[in-house]
């Protein structure tokens, strides 16, 4: 994917595939610090770690290999290679849902993404529509990424991060609808079912015009609940919820151990939110509402460390 993007002139961070510590240090030499280390064939931000020194890079590769040792078999992951990538240094990130056709594509929605503190990149929340929905440099990059990869049908999920100067960089492209409940948020925001578009496209119906005409009518978000690190002593369910809450799902139970946010596996539940307004800047609300609810719901005991 990365090679096809670079060949087509689609802006994406330079990267090297490595297996050993020696190859890692070679890659760091070539790319320059900081770098992101990640398994080349996993998802959910599992084993994705930022490194600002050679020592941190070595530790990041070891951590990434540890995540694959833990989850590789369950997810049918080879985990035999790791990507070392130039770091796009900001917390501004979106995902773009694109409906693809042969040699062309149309953006359906731009989703604002909320990330955990570094050195990890756990997704804390997703909000649709992003205030950047009309940004043509962004939507054009997403379309060119899909065309460059030859994705000729269905919805694709393009992840784009902005450098400190606002330049958009493609992090990765998945030839499938986005996960994490993003499709439900798109459906609520646009009153249009993305799976109907995806299935219709696979059945040969040209729906790019329908997508081009789609207009958001409200804001919808999903945010993940996070207990303070430590042993969860109690789960206080059933309290009154703020009006913007559309659904809540608590996954943790008393006795569970909560760890710092690292990837999909460190979530204790989720909340879906809805507002009648469209925001014209990145609102912190998904993260602050989820944090307030998490603080009310989860009673955590002694710290468990990261
Ligand atoms: N080169 C990079 N520069 C800056 N941030 C990065 C880079 N690579 C990855 N990240 C951050 O880590 C996150 C996860 O990385 P990536 O999307 O490559 O892996 P993933 O495990 O497939 O993720 P997911 O399945 O959650 O989409 C990105 O969304 C981004 O926030
Ligand atoms: Mg990703």
């Amino acid at each position: 994917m990365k090679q096809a993007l670079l060949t087509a002139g689609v802006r994406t961070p330079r990267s090297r595939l490595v297996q050993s510590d020696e190859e890692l240090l070679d890659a760091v030499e070539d790319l320059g610090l900081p770098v992101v280390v990640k398994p080349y064939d996993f998802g959910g931000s599992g084993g994705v770690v930022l490194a600002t020194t050679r020592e941190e890079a070595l530790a990041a590769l070891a951590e990434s290999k540890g995540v694959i040792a833990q989850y590789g078999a369950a997810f049918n992951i080879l985990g035999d290679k790791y990507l070392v990538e130039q770091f796009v240094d900001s917390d501004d990130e979106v995902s773009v849902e694109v409906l693809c056709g042969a040699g062309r594509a149309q953006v359906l929605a731009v989703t604002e993404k909320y990330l955990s503190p570094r050195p990890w990149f756990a997704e804390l929340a997703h909000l649709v529509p992003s205030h950047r929905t009309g940004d043509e440099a962004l939507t054009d990059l997403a379309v060119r990424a899909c065309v460059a990869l030859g994705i000729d049908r269905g919805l694709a999920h393009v992840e784009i991060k902005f450098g400190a100067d606002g330049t958009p960089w493609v992090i990765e492209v998945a030839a499938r609808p986005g996960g994490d409940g993003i499709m439900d948020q798109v459906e609520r925001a646009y009153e249009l079912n993305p799976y109907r578009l995806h299935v219709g496209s696979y059945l040969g119906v040209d729906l790019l015009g329908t997508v081009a005409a789609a207009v958001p009518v409200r804001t919808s978000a999903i945010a993940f609940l996070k207990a303070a690190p430590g042993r969860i002593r109690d789960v206080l369910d059933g309290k009154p919820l703020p009006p913007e809450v559309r659904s809540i799902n608590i996954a943790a139970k008393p006795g569970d151990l909560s760890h710092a946010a690292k990837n999909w596996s460190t979530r204790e539940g989720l909340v879906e939110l809805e507002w009648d307004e469209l925001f014209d800047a990145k609102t912190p609300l998904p993260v602050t509402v989820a944090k307030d609810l998490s603080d009310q719901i989860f009673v955590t005991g002694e710290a468990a460390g990261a």
Side-chain angles (χ1 to χ4, degrees):
M1 176 188 72
K2 305 284 293 188
Q3 279 162 4
L5 292 177
L6 287 171
T7 304
V10 175
R11 199 182 302 105
T12 189
R14 277 181 64 221
S15 61
R16 295 256 305 251
L17 264 185
V18 306
Q19 290 183 294
S20 64
D21 285 358
E22 293 71 40
E23 289 173 358
L24 168 78
L25 292 176
D26 249 23
V28 166
E29 193 69 29
D30 173 26
L31 300 170
L33 289 160
V35 292
V36 174
V37 178
K38 54 186 165 184
Y40 82 125
D41 58 350
F42 201 28
S45 304
V48 183
V49 188
L50 172 67
T52 57
T53 63
R54 285 160 55 93
E55 292 69 34
E56 283 178 11
L58 290 166
L61 181 60
E63 178 175 334
S64 205
K65 287 183 174 179
V67 170
I68 296 301
Q70 188 177 355
Y71 295 105
F75 287 88
N76 207 12
I77 298 302
L78 277 178
D80 56 337
K81 295 188 191 75
Y82 295 79
L83 269 174
V84 184
E85 256 181 40
Q86 287 179 329
F87 178 50
V88 180
D89 191 353
S90 87
D91 295 322
D92 275 337
E93 185 166 339
V94 295
S95 56
V96 187
E97 306 306 324
V98 184
L99 187 66
C100 300
R104 62 207 186 99
Q106 176 69 47
V107 169
L108 168 62
V110 181
T111 301
E112 201 65 27
K113 189 187 279 210
Y114 297 77
L115 296 169
S116 70
R118 301 169 183 184
W120 300 292
F121 301 95
E123 290 159 321
L124 302 184
H126 304 277
L127 177 141
V128 190
S130 161
H131 61 283
R132 303 178 228 254
T133 298
D135 178 343
E136 278 180 22
L138 169 65
T139 52
D140 176 62
L141 185 67
V143 164
R144 286 196 295 114
C146 294
V147 172
L149 296 175
I151 306 173
D152 61 2
R153 71 200 70 179
L155 281 175
H157 179 70
V158 183
E159 296 183 326
I160 293 181
K161 194 159 184 176
F162 299 91
D165 62 355
T167 305
W169 297 78
V170 175
I171 299 295
E172 67 169 0
V173 182
R176 55 156 174 81
D180 260 359
I182 292 175
M183 293 305 102
D184 293 342
Q185 315 318 315
V186 171
E187 178 169 19
R188 284 173 202 144
Y190 284 82
E191 295 189 336
L192 186 65
N193 186 322
Y195 290 113
R196 187 172 75 77
L197 302 170
H198 189 63
V199 171
S201 169
Y202 268 76
L203 293 174
V205 187
D206 186 339
L207 294 164
L208 267 64
T210 307
V211 169
V215 179
V217 295
R218 65 179 66 81
T219 300
S220 187
I222 183 168
F224 300 100
L225 300 179
K226 188 78 214 88
R231 182 75 62 188
I232 296 173
R233 280 205 259 123
D234 210 352
V235 175
L236 307 175
D237 198 359
K239 293 212 174 161
L241 296 166
E244 61 268 39
V245 173
R246 182 181 168 119
S247 80
I248 186 161
N249 181 305
I250 300 170
K253 54 186 186 317
D256 288 353
L257 200 52
S258 168
H259 298 280
K262 285 190 180 181
N263 54 48
W264 90 97
S265 76
T266 50
R267 299 168 176 170
E268 273 81 44
L270 62 86
V271 60
E272 288 176 297
L273 305 162
E274 215 173 83
W275 297 270
D276 286 335
E277 68 196 286
L278 303 179
F279 297 97
D280 55 14
K282 186 165 188 160
T283 169
L285 280 172
V287 171
T288 53
V289 172
K291 173 149 188 359
D292 288 351
L293 286 170
S294 300
D295 289 348
Q296 278 176 36
I297 292 169
F298 301 110
V299 182
T300 311
E302 81 282 9

